[in-house]
Amino acid sequence: MKYAIAATAVLLVLGNVQCYIPASLSVCNRADPELDKCVRAVVEGLRSRIASGDYGEGHMLPSLDPAYIDRLDIDDGANLQASFRNLTVTGAKNFQIDKLHLNVPEKNINFRVTLDKMNLKGKYNMKMKLSLLLIDGVGDANLDISDSKLLVKMHYQLLPSAKDPSRLTMQFDPIEMKIKFAGPAKFNFTNLLKDKPRLSEAANEAVNEDPSVILEKAKPAVQQFFSKLFTDIANGLMKEATEEEALPL
């Protein structure tokens, strides 16, 4: 989930094109022998802008800390049916870039990020079989999760601009994103047992004995959400930029 934040920052660094990207963002020359290091340093300096979505001069992008997920559904047959709504995700601005590499000839940008801590809050509706316990709840959901690893793979093509077909502009394919929940996680659901409210605390303890049961089933939907979000941001930033403008020599 946090990995996704660094993806936007990389795009902004590469997209420092006059008239398209705010002057507040610096640019790295593609001939720089330490290009990866340069981009990484600029990304690290963009945390506050990434969090707010405000890049100056009226250039606004979706806020990524907090980020908002309207709806996230899980369908694992009779074992788990869940719907999470109006989710607010915080903590992504504290990302750590573990590795980053730009391959200009191949038109690829790959990087790996660690998110130390994240929090998700929203509403839920869930039915779940957990050993001998049958959970049937509706209410508030809260998740604290540590040490999330994100692997992002980006590829762009040079395609004619919709405004000027003579210009070949950078357009990103759907971004590939993989998430690994490597650290501890803790759920807190209100009203997990609708007919037995006094047992809700015990039900939460049962869920938290192995939170990966829910997390692993939610992973595809989370990856899909952030993949679409960052693909839209990438193409929004680069829609009129040529490769020569975005990656000057």
Side-chain angles (χ1 to χ4, degrees):
M1 292 175 188
K2 185 6 284 339
Y3 203 152
I5 299 277
T8 297
V10 171
L11 292 168
L12 291 169
V13 172
L14 296 178
N16 188 15
V17 182
Q18 187 177 7
C19 298
Y20 301 120
I21 298 299
S24 60
L25 303 178
S26 58
V27 64
C28 295
N29 193 295
R30 90 172 81 165
D32 187 338
E34 295 188 319
L35 177 59
D36 293 348
K37 183 177 180 180
C38 175
V39 173
R40 179 170 177 167
V42 176
V43 171
E44 294 285 0
L46 289 174
R47 291 181 186 275
S48 62
R49 296 188 181 279
I50 290 170
S52 67
D54 184 354
Y55 295 89
E57 301 177 344
H59 193 100
M60 300 296 298
L61 295 172
S63 167
L64 293 173
D65 193 354
Y68 302 98
I69 303 177
D70 291 335
R71 186 182 182 98
L72 191 155
D73 295 318
I74 304 173
D75 185 352
D76 191 34
N79 294 321
L80 175 61
Q81 294 279 339
S83 177
F84 297 88
R85 305 175 310 283
N86 302 324
L87 290 172
T88 300
V89 185
T90 57
K93 66 182 177 183
N94 297 316
F95 63 87
Q96 298 177 22
I97 303 173
D98 302 320
K99 187 176 182 180
L100 182 151
H101 179 61
L102 278 65
N103 187 324
V104 177
E106 296 294 330
K107 299 177 173 52
N108 292 329
I109 308 169
N110 298 329
F111 53 97
R112 187 175 66 226
V113 170
T114 294
L115 300 177
D116 286 339
K117 295 182 183 297
M118 286 194 300
N119 175 264
L120 291 82
K121 291 182 179 179
K123 301 292 184 179
Y124 85 98
N125 186 322
M126 181 167 63
K127 293 184 178 181
M128 179 181 180
K129 288 183 178 180
L130 194 61
S131 186
L132 299 178
L133 185 64
L134 182 60
I135 289 174
D136 184 3
V138 177
D140 297 326
N142 186 86
L143 169 63
D144 290 308
I145 186 167
S146 302
D147 196 20
S148 299
K149 310 288 186 181
L150 300 98
L151 177 64
V152 178
K153 295 184 177 182
M154 307 170 66
H155 179 265
Y156 65 89
Q157 302 182 56
L158 301 181
L159 301 174
S161 165
K163 294 183 178 180
D164 182 359
S166 67
R167 287 172 53 86
L168 295 180
T169 58
M170 296 173 62
Q171 298 183 34
F172 282 86
D173 298 332
I175 293 172
E176 296 181 35
M177 182 176 299
K178 299 295 182 182
I179 299 175
K180 179 180 179 181
F181 301 119
K186 184 177 182 180
F187 284 100
N188 184 29
F189 296 102
T190 64
N191 199 32
L192 261 181
L193 301 175
K194 289 187 292 187
D195 299 328
K196 302 175 181 178
R198 294 183 180 180
L199 297 179
S200 183
E201 183 176 348
N204 270 287
E205 292 177 356
V207 168
N208 285 308
E209 286 182 4
D210 188 5
S212 66
V213 171
I214 298 177
L215 285 175
E216 290 303 309
K217 297 302 179 182
K219 185 186 293 184
V222 173
Q223 291 175 160
Q224 183 179 19
F225 170 80
F226 281 105
S227 175
K228 183 180 187 306
L229 174 64
F230 283 89
T231 302
D232 290 344
I233 292 173
N235 285 321
L237 290 169
M238 297 295 161
K239 62 182 180 181
E240 292 300 320
T242 67
E243 188 176 45
E244 289 74 20
E245 291 167 334
L247 293 166
L249 286 171

